[in-house]
Amino acid sequence: MKIITSIAVLTLLVSLSGCSATVAEQKQSLKSFENAKNWYLSGDLDSAEHHLQWLHGKGLASSQSWALLGNIYFRQYRFEASEQAYVRSLEFDSSNNDIWFNLALNQLRQTTNTLMDARVQLKETDDQLDGLLKDLLALQKVPIEEVGAQ
């Protein structure tokens, strides 16, 4: 009977220590995410990215951390990486309207860049290509005249 009681107590202690580690990890994760968010808001994208990568490397990722990383990549014009981060965010929370919007905006930006590249390479574009580019820029509230100046 003492052995069974000892095993029960030992099992309880192990499970409680596991719970406290989980709580500690959750607190660390929340603090790390808040730090990364503050760096992002202050414009220090490199520090925010580094901290989020560290967080993800520790297995403490969340929908919000992937979404923030997607925003960082978007602001750095790293659209493929941004798309991947938004998709990872949706794996955690597929009902988040903001992430779907950001993913769509990211893809819209990629399409716009493709059309702008075509315009530069072709030097002479047709009305169909220019019309599509104009419509995409209008969605983003950028007049086509500003694109020509770049």
Side-chain angles (χ1 to χ4, degrees), residues 79-90:
F79 300 119
E80 288 178 21
S82 178
E83 181 176 344
Q84 291 172 1
Y86 290 141
V87 168
R88 293 292 301 267
S89 176
L90 288 169

Side-chain angles (χ1 to χ4, degrees), residues 26-46:
Q26 288 174 347
K27 285 182 181 179
Q28 181 183 24
S29 174
L30 183 60
K31 183 175 176 161
S32 295
F33 176 74
E34 289 301 320
N35 286 338
K37 188 174 172 184
N38 289 333
W39 284 319
Y40 173 79
L41 293 172
S42 71
D44 188 350
L45 302 182
D46 289 334

Side-chain angles (χ1 to χ4, degrees), residues 17 19 51 53 56 80 96 149:
S17 67
C19 290
H51 214 65
Q53 293 290 6
H56 293 167
E80 288 178 21
N96 189 318

Side-chain angles (χ1 to χ4, degrees), residues 17-130:
S17 67
C19 290
S20 66
T22 303
V23 170
E25 285 178 347
Q26 288 174 347
K27 285 182 181 179
Q28 181 183 24
S29 174
L30 183 60
K31 183 175 176 161
S32 295
F33 176 74
E34 289 301 320
N35 286 338
K37 188 174 172 184
N38 289 333
W39 284 319
Y40 173 79
L41 293 172
S42 71
D44 188 350
L45 302 182
D46 289 334
S47 293
E49 177 186 357
H50 177 73
H51 214 65
L52 289 170
Q53 293 290 6
W54 176 86
L55 192 65
H56 293 167
K58 291 285 188 183
L60 302 173
S62 67
S63 179
Q64 296 94 350
S65 66
W66 278 112
L68 183 57
L69 191 59
N71 292 348
I72 290 167
Y73 291 153
F74 185 86
R75 286 182 59 188
Q76 294 172 332
Y77 303 100
R78 296 165 59 190
F79 300 119
E80 288 178 21
S82 178
E83 181 176 344
Q84 291 172 1
Y86 290 141
V87 168
R88 293 292 301 267
S89 176
L90 288 169
E91 290 172 5
F92 284 86
D93 181 9
S94 63
S95 65
N96 189 318
N97 291 334
D98 292 336
I99 304 308
W100 283 108
F101 178 86
N102 287 351
L103 179 60
L105 182 62
N106 186 70
Q107 292 172 340
L108 177 66
R109 184 58 189 258
Q110 288 181 60
T111 303
T112 303
N113 285 353
T114 299
L115 290 172
M116 289 178 0
D117 289 345
R119 196 169 192 232
V120 169
Q121 291 297 318
L122 296 172
K123 294 184 176 70
E124 189 175 313
T125 56
D126 61 17
D127 290 339
Q128 185 179 12
L129 190 81
D130 283 342

